[in-house]
């Protein structure tokens, strides 16, 4: 156990504060692939993910760059210059931006938790942008696994077990590459003894130092 997840806004608030914050919000069900926001969208809303997974990404011509995946408790808005899309059936809590701003004026205790969650999302976006600019795909994959290991890794026999609720396609989207490339790199790391696959989305990391060193290699 790693304690409460600081990235989950709903878990960060007590019941009374949560109820006050969500006054005026309504639930919306999203099917896989449904867009919640886009660069030309006119909706001015704030949403909190209740369940499922939401992808935030940029698209230019035939290329897409994933900025982050929002999980349960994540908060975002529909009026950014990014596409916001459900990548699996999801439920979100939707609220008007102006109304939430007014609510926060009388609910200052909720502000630190919201800033912390948004700060985590921004930090993740900056890491992805930095990786795309300065690391090759293998370095990006190693850094991603190392970062997730810090958050979710747990001892398992003589290794560290990392359980990700992400498939190879999800990881490829985050890294700005293809599923085939991610699979090939994971297989190479397995042959080198850095990690092994223990199941779908489950990895045993056998050599953390080599993984960390690989993550520091910049693109040539």
């Amino acid at each position: 156990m790693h304690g409460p997840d600081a990235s989950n806004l709903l878990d960060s608030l007590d019941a009374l504060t949560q109820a006050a914050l969500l006054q005026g919000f309504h639930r919306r069900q999203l099917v896989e692939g449904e867009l919640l926001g886009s660069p030309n969208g006119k909706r001015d809303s704030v949403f909190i993910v209740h369940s499922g997974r939401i992808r935030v990404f940029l698209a230019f011509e035939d290329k897409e760059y994933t900025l982050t995946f929002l999980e349960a408790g994540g908060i975002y808005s529909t009026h950014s210059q990014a596409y916001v899309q459900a990548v699996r059936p999801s439920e979100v809590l939707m609220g008007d931006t102006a109304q939430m701003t007014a609510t926060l004026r009388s609910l200052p205790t909720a502000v630190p938790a919201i800033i912390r969650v948004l700060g985590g999302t921004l930090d993740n976006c900056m890491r992805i942008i930095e990786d795309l600019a300065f690391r090759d795909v293998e370095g990006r994959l190693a850094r991603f696994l190392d970062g997730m290991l810090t958050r979710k890794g747990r001892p398992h026999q003589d290794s560290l077990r990392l359980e990700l609720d992400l498939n190879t396609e999800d990881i490829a989207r985050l890294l700005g590459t293809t599923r085939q490339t991610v699979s090939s790199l994971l297989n190479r790391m397995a042959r080198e003894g850095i990690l092994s696959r223990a199941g779908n989305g489950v990895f045993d990391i056998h050599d953390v130092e080599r993984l960390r060193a690989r993550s520091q290699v910049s693109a040539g």
Side-chain angles (χ1 to χ4, degrees), residues 143-153 162-164 166:
R143 190 179 192 213
F144 167 75
L145 293 173
D146 184 38
M148 296 303 292
L149 196 62
T150 301
R151 288 179 51 196
K152 297 186 174 185
L162 178 59
E163 298 184 19
L164 300 176
L166 297 169

Side-chain angles (χ1 to χ4, degrees), residues 2-210:
H2 295 268
D5 186 353
S7 66
N8 190 320
L9 175 62
L10 299 179
D11 285 352
S12 301
L13 304 175
D14 62 65
L16 290 177
T17 303
Q18 185 181 134
L21 178 67
L22 295 179
Q23 282 188 353
F25 277 63
H26 65 276
R27 293 179 181 268
R28 177 175 170 182
Q29 303 289 336
L30 302 171
V31 299
E32 182 176 341
E34 183 174 351
L35 281 175
L36 187 60
S38 65
N40 298 319
K42 300 185 183 301
R43 183 191 299 271
D44 188 5
S45 302
V46 173
F47 69 88
I48 300 170
V49 182
H50 185 265
S51 63
R53 177 176 293 130
I54 305 295
R55 177 187 175 216
V56 181
F57 66 99
L58 303 175
F60 300 97
E61 297 179 348
D62 61 341
K63 295 183 178 180
E64 295 182 356
Y65 299 93
T66 298
L67 297 178
T68 191
F69 283 109
L70 301 171
E71 309 285 348
I75 182 172
Y76 202 72
S77 69
T78 61
H79 58 274
S80 72
Q81 292 300 303
Y83 292 90
V84 183
Q85 182 182 47
V87 295
R88 63 173 57 172
S90 303
E91 181 179 79
V92 296
L93 308 174
M94 302 287 300
D96 180 75
T97 302
Q99 180 178 340
M100 184 172 185
T101 300
T103 298
L104 289 176
R105 293 194 187 102
S106 60
L107 199 65
T109 55
V111 173
I114 292 174
I115 291 175
R116 185 168 58 249
V117 173
L118 289 175
T121 299
L122 178 60
D123 179 65
N124 187 56
C125 291
M126 293 304 296
R127 284 172 61 92
I128 290 172
I129 293 170
E130 179 185 336
D131 284 348
L132 286 170
F134 301 115
R135 287 178 174 80
D136 61 16
V137 179
E138 185 174 16
R140 300 202 294 268
L141 176 59
R143 190 179 192 213
F144 167 75
L145 293 173
D146 184 38
M148 296 303 292
L149 196 62
T150 301
R151 288 179 51 196
K152 297 186 174 185
R154 59 180 178 83
H156 179 75
Q157 298 177 358
D158 295 328
S159 304
L160 288 176
R161 173 151 291 185
L162 178 59
E163 298 184 19
L164 300 176
D165 187 22
L166 297 169
N167 57 33
T168 306
E169 182 67 28
D170 292 333
I171 296 173
R173 284 173 169 173
L174 278 171
L175 301 181
T177 188
T178 65
R179 180 180 59 80
Q180 291 83 358
T181 297
V182 170
S183 293
S184 176
L185 290 172
L186 288 172
N187 289 337
R188 180 195 298 176
M189 290 182 183
R191 290 194 301 270
E192 294 175 354
I194 296 175
L195 57 77
S196 60
R197 299 192 193 198
N200 187 25
V202 182
F203 302 91
D204 286 332
I205 310 299
H206 306 297
D207 195 331
V208 178
E209 293 306 316
R210 286 179 66 194

